[in-house]
C-alpha cells in the first residue's frame, strides 16, 4: 500500500469510527459503506485489543501545536440565536453587530474555554497589534499618562475568577407575547436562551493602581469614561467607587492572552456588572466629575418600566441559576438515576444556596454546591435524581450571600412590564416529557 | 512611538548629556514610574467624549438641509430615508429606528418606540455617538460640521427643531429632548421572594402575592446612578 493509499484508508477508518459511535447514517458513500461493512467485525464488534487505536499508532505528538477538542465534540461550539426559533425581528441584521452564545449545556464546572466564551460586539471585533496599542489616562489627574502594553504588564498583577453576562441574556423568556405576540419556542436550548454568559480566570492590573500612577483626584472625580479602540469607540461611564473596588484591566484569560473577540490586547473587567460595561480593546480612560450618558447607557441597555420611565445605570447582574442537565434539546434515554447539574451566579457576591424543584416550583430541595464557591463567579451545583419516567417540570433557584433569592420570571415581568427586556434573572423551567425529551417550558 | 523616543533621547544624550538628563521625565512624583506623561496637545486627537453640559462639543456648525443630503447619502441605506429603520434581510430584524414616538413608552401591547426623539435624554448623546461610531463601517469619516448637520436633520425629523434649523455648540445646548425626565435610578432589587421550601406559591396561583423588593430592603449602591452634574 502506497503512503497515499495508506492515508486514504486511515481517514476512511476515522470516518467509519465516528459513524459507528454516533449512530450517524445516511450519508455514507459507496466506498465508505463498503468499509463500514468490512470493518464491522474488527471495529465495533472487535475486542478491546483489536480496535484500530489499540493496534496502530496514533497521531504524532505535536500534530496540533495549538490543540483542539476531539473531533467527536465538534458540535460543541458558539452559536448565534437560531432564527428559526426566534421571534420575528429578534436577530440583528448584520453579524458585525451581533452575538453568539456559549454552549452551557455541554460544559462542566465553572470555567468557559476561551474558544467558547460568548461573543457580543457592536462593530465587529478587531485583532490589533499590541506593539501599536496604547492606553491613555487623562482628565482629573496630576499627569496624563500613556501606557504601552509593555508598561501595563509591568504593573503588579492580580488574578480573579469572574463571570461575564450580557444584560440582554435570557430576554427570549421575558414573557409570552413580548415579541409580536409569538409564543416562545419549546425548542430553545440553554445556549439559545442563556448563552450570553461565560466565566473565566482573568489576569490583569488593578484600575486603582493605574489611577494612583496618574494621580487621579478620586475625591472630585466620580466617574471614569472608558473607551474601546474598536470601530465605534464604544464608551461607558464607570462609577469611581467600583473602579477603586475590584475593577481590573485584564490582558489574560484562562492563562493565555485575551482572544481578539474578548478585546485583545486589553479589556476592562467590572466584576458582577453587565457585559457591555466591560469595555474591550481599552484605549482611553477619562477621569471626570460627570457621567457621559453615552448611547449604550441611555438609548440602549436601560430598562423601560411600566410607568414609561426607564432605569438608568442598572449595572449589577442579580442572582441567577439555570439547570444545564437536563435542559432543552437533551433527552434522557431511560428512567433511572441521573445527576441534575447546573450553574449559579450573582453580581452581588457569593452564592449561598441553590434549590431545585421537580414539581413546577411548589416544593424545593437544596442542591450541593461544588467547591470552590467564589464571589461574582459561576458556582456549579448538583443534585442526585431518580427519574420515574413521568413528565417533570424541573427548575433551579439561587440565593446569594446578601439573602436575595432569584424570583420567577413572571414576577419580574409583573413588576417591570412586558417591554423591560434587560436584566432577566428569573427562574428557568424545563419540561422533561415522559419519552425523556427535554423542552423549554418558559414562555 | 515610545521606542522612537528612547532612541531620540539616547542620541540626544550622546550629543548633549546634560540637556537630555534634564528633560528625562522625573518619576519621583508617582509610585511606579511606568508609562510616559503626555500633554494636553497630545490628547487633542482623542477627544471624542461629549457630555450633557456641552463639555467636548466641537467648534463648527451644520444645517438640517445639509444634514438631509448627508443622511440620504451616508445613513439611509440602513436607517431609511425618513430615519424609521430599514429591513434588509427577510428573517432578521431591522436597523435602528431614529425617528417617531409611537407606540408611546407606556404602551402595553406593542413594543414602545425607543427612538432618538422619543427616548434619548440629551442631544449631546446623539452628537457623541454619531461622531464616534457612525456611519456604521466607516466610523470617523464625518467632519464635525457634518455631525452637526446630521444631528440637526434628525432633530427636525423628530419635530424637536424647526425645518432648516442650524446647530452649533450654543444652539445644541439650547435643545431640550422630550424624554429628558424619562430616566430614574435602577430600583433593583424590585422583586424578591423569600426562600420558601415547601408548599410554595407559584405564579399560576390565583391572586397570590409573591413578594416585592421592599421586603428585601437592600438597594443597589446609589454611587452607580448617573445624575446630571
Amino acid at each position: 500500500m502506497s503512503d497515499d493509499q495508506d492515508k486514504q484508508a486511515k481517514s476512511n477508518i476515522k470516518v467509519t469510527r465516528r459513524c459507528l459511535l454516533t449512530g450517524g447514517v445516511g450519508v455514507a458513500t459507496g466506498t465508505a459503506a463498503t468499509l463500514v461493512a468490512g470493518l464491522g467485525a474488527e471495529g465495533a464488534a472487535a475486542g478491546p485489543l483489536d480496535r484500530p487505536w489499540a493496534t496502530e499508532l496514533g497521531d504524532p505528538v505535536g500534530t496540533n501545536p495549538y490543540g483542539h477538542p476531539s473531533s467527536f465534540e465538534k458540535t460543541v461550539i458558539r452559536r448565534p440565536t437560531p432564527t428559526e426559533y426566534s421571534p420575528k425581528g429578534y436577530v440583528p441584521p448584520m453579524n458585525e453587530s451581533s452575538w453568539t452564545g456559549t454552549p452551557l449545556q455541554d460544559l462542566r464546572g465553572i470555567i468557559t474555554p476561551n474558544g467558547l466564551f460568548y461573543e457580543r460586539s457592536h462593530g465587529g471585533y478587531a485583532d490589533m497589534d499590541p506593539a501599536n496599542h496604547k492606553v491613555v489616562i487623562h482628565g482629573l489627574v496630576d499627569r496624563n499618562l500613556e501606557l504601552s502594553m509593555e508598561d501595563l504588564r509591568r504593573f503588579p498583577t492580580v488574578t480573579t475568577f469572574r463571570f461575564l453576562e450580557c444584560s440582554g441574556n435570557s430576554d427570549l423568556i421575558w414573557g409570552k407575547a413580548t415579541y409580536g405576540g409569538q409564543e416562545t419556542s419549546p425548542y430553545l436550548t440553554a445556549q439559545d436562551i442563556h448563552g450570553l454568559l461565560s466565566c473565566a480566570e482573568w489576569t490583569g492590573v488593578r484600575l486603582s493602581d493605574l489611577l494612583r500612577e496618574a494621580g487621579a483626584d478620586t475625591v472630585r472625580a466620580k466617574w471614569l469614561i472608558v473607551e474601546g479602540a474598536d470601530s465605534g469607540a464604544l464608551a461607558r461611564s464607570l462609577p469611581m467607587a467600583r473602579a477603586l473596588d475590584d475593577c481590573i484591566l485584564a490582558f489574560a484569560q484562562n492563562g493565555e492572552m485575551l482572544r481578539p473577540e474578548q478585546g485583545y490586547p486589553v479589556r476592562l473587567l467590572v466584576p458582577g456588572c453587565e457585559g457591555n460595561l466591560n469595555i474591550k480593546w481599552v484605549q482611553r480612560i477619562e477621569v471626570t466629575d460627570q457621567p457621559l450618558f453615552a448611547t449604550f447607557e441611555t438609548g440602549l441597555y436601560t430598562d423601560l418600566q411600566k410607568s414609561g420611565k426607564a432605569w438608568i445605570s442598572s449595572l449589577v447582574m442579580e442572582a441567577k441559576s439555570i439547570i444545564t442537565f437536563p435542559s432543552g434539546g437533551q433527552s434522557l434515554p431511560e428512567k433511572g438515576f441521573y445527576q441534575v447539574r447546573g450553574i449559579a451566579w450573582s453580581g452581588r457576591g457569593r452564592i449561598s444556596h441553590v434549590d431545585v424543584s421537580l414539581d413546577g416550583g411548589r416544593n424545593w430541595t437544596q442542591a450541593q454546591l461544588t467547591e470552590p464557591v467564589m464571589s461574582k463567579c459561576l458556582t456549579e451545583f448538583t443534585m442526585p435524581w431518580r427519574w420515574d419516567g413521568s413528565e417533570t417540570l424541573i427548575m433551579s433557584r439561587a440565593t446569594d450571600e446578601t439573602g436575595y433569592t432569584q424570583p420567577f420570571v413572571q414576577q419580574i415581568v409583573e413588576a417591570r412590564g412586558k417591554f423591560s427586556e434587560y436584566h432577566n434573572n428569573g427562574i428557568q423551567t424545563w419540561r422533561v416529557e415522559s419519552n425523556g425529551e427535554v423542552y423549554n417550558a418558559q414562555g | 512611538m515610545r521606542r522612537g523616543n528612547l532612541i531620540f533621547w539616547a542620541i540626544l544624550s550622546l550629543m548633549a548629556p546634560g540637556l537630555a538628563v534634564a528633560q528625562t521625565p522625573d518619576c519621583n512624583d508617582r509610585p511606579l514610574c511606568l508609562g510616559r506623561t503626555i500633554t494636553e496637545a497630545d490628547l487633542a486627537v482623542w477627544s471624542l467624549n461629549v457630555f450633557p453640559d456641552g463639555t467636548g462639543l466641537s467648534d463648527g456648525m451644520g444645517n438640517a438641509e445639509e444634514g438631509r443630503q448627508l443622511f440620504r447619502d451616508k445613513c439611509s441605506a440602513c436607517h431609511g430615508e425618513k430615519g424609521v429603520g430599514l429591513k434588509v434581510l427577510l428573517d432578521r430584524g431591522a436597523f435602528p429606528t431614529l425617528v417617531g414616538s409611537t407606540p408611546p413608552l407606556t404602551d402595553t401591547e406593542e413594543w414602545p418606540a425607543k427612538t432618538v426623539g422619543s427616548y434619548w435624554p440629551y442631544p449631546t448623546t446623539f452628537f457623541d455617538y454619531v461622531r464616534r461610531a457612525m456611519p456604521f463601517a466607516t466610523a470617523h469619516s464625518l467632519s464635525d460640521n457634518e455631525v452637526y448637520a446630521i444631528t440637526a436633520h434628525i432633530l427636525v425629523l423628530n419635530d424637536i427643531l424647526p425645518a432648516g434649523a442650524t446647530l452649533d455648540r450654543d444652539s445644541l445646548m439650547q435643545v431640550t429632548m422630550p424624554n429628558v425626565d424619562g430616566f430614574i435610578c435602577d430600583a433593583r432589587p424590585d422583586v424578591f421572594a423569600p426562600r420558601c421550601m415547601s408548599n410554595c406559591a407559584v405564579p399560576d396561583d390565583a391572586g397570590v402575592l409573591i413578594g416585592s423588593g421592599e421586603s428585601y430592603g437592600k438597594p443597589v449602591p446609589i454611587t452607580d446612578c448617573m445624575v446630571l452634574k
Side-chain angles (χ1 to χ4, degrees), chain B residues 10-24:
Chain B
I11 293 168
L12 197 65
S13 65
L14 287 175
M15 291 159 54
L19 183 66
V21 170
Q23 294 193 6
T24 299

Side-chain angles (χ1 to χ4, degrees), chain A residues 29 35 44 47-48 81 127 136 158 214 228-229 243 246 329 331-332 358 364 385 403-404:
Chain A
T29 63
L35 275 166
T81 312
D127 189 8
V136 166
V158 289
D246 56 3
S331 65
L332 307 179
L358 300 166
W364 298 83
W385 178 42
Y404 172 87

Side-chain angles (χ1 to χ4, degrees), chain A residues 364-396:
Chain A
W364 298 83
T365 305
Q366 188 172 325
Q368 178 79 35
L369 302 186
T370 309
E371 292 289 340
V373 176
M374 294 182 279
S375 181
K376 304 175 185 179
C377 178
L378 293 191
T379 295
E380 187 190 52
F381 65 87
T382 61
M383 193 187 80
W385 178 42
R386 196 166 289 281
W387 183 48
D388 64 5
S390 62
E391 181 173 306
T392 305
L393 288 176
I394 185 167
M395 60 182 77
S396 65

